[in-house]
Amino acid sequence: MKLHFTTNHQDHRVALLAALAITIHIIEAAFPSPLPAVKPGLANVVTLFTFLRYGWQTALQVSLLRVIISSLLLGTFLSPTFLLSLSAALLSLSSLFLLQLLFRQFFLHKYQPSAIGYAVIASITHMSGQFLVAWYFFIPHPGLFKLLPLFITFAVILAIVSGIITQLLINQIQQR
Amino acid sequence: MLTIGKVIFKGTDIIILFAACALTVWLYSTFWFNSTQQGEAEALLVQFADNPPTEYSLSEERVITVEGKIGSSVIEIKQGKARFIHSSCRNQFCVFHGWLTVLGDTAACLPNRISIRLKGAFSDYDALAGSQ
């Protein structure tokens, strides 16, 4: 039996962006980090860029593909790491969606934050969502909360960096 | 608007950054310098895995031996303080942690899945522990 798929421009775009995100995710996983759960999160630059340029549907596809495929490649599929990664990806994307909706519906569009503001919000939801899932399902110990301020500090600093990268990327592409 | 090199921070970005900093400061003040945590530690909670913790009074001096996942951990209570004095684990982080003296102090042996924590008469953390 011969299977035949017809793909359109949108599918190619999703595949390209997901491939980029997966590559960054895997390279990042190879680097040691000072604390577990603290990663530069450069793969989220791709998600944020996709969200701001192509909308939430494309970003959702890209980020789900990234989480599932990179977990298959790293061997963490359906493990706690995978669940943390999936819940964090979904939460941070929904926070981006809500933030954009808020500025489109209720505030003036021109007050919309740049990629930096979006990155900070997404990163905080990402980290706190992941943290609550870890606390609720895996390590239900109140002592874990002593780590939360530290994690959020790293999340904010790294989000500013990835937000700046995303903004520069968007500026570069708009100039062409 | 604030421009640094090629990067432009919009007004909204700066508001979001301030809010994020405020959140971080609030988290530090809540979880690291908690005012409701002030007071005397009165008991030691010893917990193995997800089991409900066992409570020991800090007023009587004693040595407790707890069976964990990989062996036994020995915990000493003396002069209102507590510490791990022996553990079957390889790294011995719990033993090197030393004395727990202040309310809310925590030490844990992850390989053995045993954690100890100082508890007061009234502490916020107990509400969390109760919801487990």
Side-chain angles (χ1 to χ4, degrees):
Chain A
M1 193 178 85
K2 196 177 171 188
L3 279 172
H4 189 73
F5 292 106
T6 37
T7 53
N8 58 25
H9 189 64
Q10 168 70 8
D11 297 330
H12 296 170
R13 179 184 288 155
V14 169
L16 187 70
L17 290 165
L20 198 58
I22 292 162
T23 314
I24 297 173
H25 188 113
I26 294 206
I27 291 171
E28 232 177 46
F31 279 98
S33 85
L35 271 170
V38 173
K39 278 200 306 180
L42 288 175
N44 289 324
V45 168
V46 180
T47 315
L48 187 60
F49 170 77
T50 314
F51 175 80
L52 291 175
R53 195 163 164 86
Y54 303 115
W56 67 271
Q57 293 98 332
T58 316
L60 183 65
Q61 290 176 49
V62 168
S63 96
L64 282 180
L65 278 172
R66 168 180 67 87
V67 169
I68 293 168
I69 296 175
S70 48
S71 76
L72 282 171
L73 289 172
L74 293 169
T76 58
F77 186 58
L78 294 184
S79 74
T81 322
F82 169 75
L83 292 180
L84 289 177
S85 177
L86 182 69
S87 55
L90 291 177
L91 269 171
S92 62
L93 201 58
S94 33
S95 77
L96 286 177
F97 175 72
L98 285 176
L99 193 66
Q100 196 177 53
L101 196 73
L102 208 64
F103 277 96
R104 285 204 174 146
Q105 298 287 323
F106 301 109
F107 303 134
L108 283 175
H109 197 260
K110 64 170 182 176
Y111 290 131
Q112 193 163 209
S114 72
I116 302 160
Y118 276 113
V120 170
I121 296 282
S123 175
I124 289 174
T125 18
H126 184 108
M127 187 57 97
S128 38
Q130 200 165 39
F131 187 88
L132 287 178
V133 170
W135 173 71
Y136 195 82
F137 290 107
F138 306 124
I139 318 170
H141 191 286
L144 199 65
F145 277 88
K146 293 224 165 189
L147 285 172
L148 185 61
L150 214 57
F151 281 167
I152 296 287
T153 312
F154 277 107
V156 173
I157 295 169
L158 294 170
I160 295 172
V161 176
S162 63
I164 289 173
I165 297 173
T166 316
Q167 192 56 53
L168 291 178
L169 192 66
I170 289 172
N171 294 349
Q172 282 274 316
I173 284 176
Q174 273 171 351
Q175 275 171 13
R176 299 212 173 154
Chain B
M1 259 215 274
L2 174 70
T3 315
I4 303 167
K6 277 185 180 175
V7 187
I8 299 164
F9 287 79
K10 283 195 188 174
T12 323
D13 291 332
I14 295 167
I15 295 170
I16 290 174
L17 280 177
F18 266 112
C21 291
L23 175 77
T24 315
V25 170
W26 178 78
L27 284 173
Y28 276 107
S29 66
T30 310
F31 293 116
W32 282 23
F33 312 102
N34 192 348
S35 56
T36 59
Q37 283 284 297
Q38 280 170 7
E40 289 295 306
E42 297 197 344
L44 178 74
L45 293 178
V46 179
Q47 186 172 17
F48 167 56
D50 296 335
N51 302 330
T54 322
E55 202 172 315
Y56 297 93
S57 171
L58 285 178
S59 50
E60 54 183 302
E61 298 191 357
R62 62 187 295 176
V63 174
I64 309 155
T65 307
V66 192
E67 284 304 314
K69 197 180 170 213
I70 56 167
S72 59
S73 290
V74 184
I75 298 149
E76 183 186 24
I77 299 179
K78 200 177 181 181
Q79 295 163 356
K81 301 179 293 182
R83 66 171 176 179
F84 276 101
I85 48 177
H86 175 77
S87 177
S88 325
C89 59
R90 191 166 59 88
N91 292 321
Q92 302 283 308
F93 285 136
C94 50
V95 178
F96 293 131
H97 190 104
W99 289 105
L100 308 188
T101 52
V102 186
L103 179 58
D105 272 0
T106 301
C109 178
L110 293 185
N112 215 6
R113 299 204 66 187
I114 287 179
S115 70
I116 59 174
R117 177 162 49 101
L118 293 188
K119 174 188 173 284
F122 304 100
S123 101
D124 260 351
Y125 277 86
D126 286 291
L128 289 171
S131 68
Q132 278 172 25

